[in-house]
Amino acid sequence: MRMASIIAAAALALLAAGCANRTGDMTIAEWCSAEPSRTDTDICKQHRDTEEVRTSLGSRIAEVFGMSQRAQATADQAMAREITCVTRTVNRTNTGTCDPGYTLTGCTQTRYTTRAGGMAIMRSINDTECRFNGRVLEVQVRCCAMGPNPPPATNVSDTAPPEPQQQEPQPVS
């Protein structure tokens, strides 16, 4: 029985070695094209499928790189433009607007009281104004203009966005 196991293992090893070197020194593409009858073998079908995937991925990657280069060029053009932004502070109103020549880019309610109902709900916002559901104590409106000579701005509180206020942590006893 032991001798039969050794012979079976040796035959299996020879068979595996023969299968491992099926194509010899040829590439799979050369082996498949050497004889027309080999084109329907599993290894040739697998090779064709792999080459199709490799080709389609290569063209897709080239397409994506082209898109990213166009996006980077557009971003570089946008960054080269001269943009002037101002923050307007408007008190006791339900509408925040920008001066002519400026585009609204942000609108924030910065002061409110609980007696007046707390935070207001913003009902609409577009390039020219933001509208709340009721009067608010204070609204900061961020407006931007493009070009080297922006029009004059009124009610400007600063030229940078407001810094968020952080409260000191309360000790827990």
Side-chain angles (χ1 to χ4, degrees), residues 14-73:
L14 286 173
L15 182 64
C19 289
N21 196 14
R22 185 173 182 183
T23 61
D25 290 337
M26 293 188 282
T27 64
I28 295 174
E30 292 170 347
W31 186 83
C32 291
S33 63
E35 290 183 28
S37 63
R38 293 180 181 167
T39 57
D40 291 332
T41 61
D42 290 339
I43 193 168
C44 294
K45 290 177 184 177
Q46 179 73 33
H47 179 68
R48 263 195 318 273
D49 291 345
T50 304
E51 287 302 313
E52 286 175 16
V53 168
R54 185 179 305 162
T55 302
S56 66
L57 280 177
S59 63
R60 180 71 180 135
I61 288 170
E63 180 183 330
V64 167
F65 277 129
M67 281 189 251
S68 68
Q69 289 171 350
R70 286 191 302 275
Q72 184 64 49

Side-chain angles (χ1 to χ4, degrees), residues 65-167:
F65 277 129
M67 281 189 251
S68 68
Q69 289 171 350
R70 286 191 302 275
Q72 184 64 49
T74 303
D76 291 341
Q77 284 178 338
M79 292 301 289
R81 294 180 180 162
E82 295 183 34
I83 298 176
T84 304
C85 294
V86 295
T87 302
R88 295 183 66 197
T89 302
V90 186
N91 293 313
R92 292 179 181 83
T93 184
N94 65 345
T95 307
T97 60
C98 292
D99 290 318
Y102 284 87
T103 302
L104 181 87
T105 59
C107 191
T108 306
Q109 181 182 359
T110 52
R111 275 194 316 152
Y112 61 92
T113 63
T114 54
R115 189 180 75 182
M119 292 286 289
I121 297 170
M122 187 181 297
R123 292 295 180 190
S124 66
I125 187 168
N126 57 32
D127 286 349
T128 58
E129 70 177 10
C130 59
R131 185 174 302 278
F132 291 90
N133 66 333
R135 287 183 68 182
V136 294
L137 288 177
E138 182 179 274
V139 176
Q140 287 192 341
V141 182
R142 189 77 173 154
C143 305
C144 294
M146 292 180 52
N149 301 318
T154 59
N155 297 332
V156 176
S157 59
D158 60 1
T159 57
E163 292 293 324
Q165 296 178 1
Q166 294 181 351
Q167 296 178 351

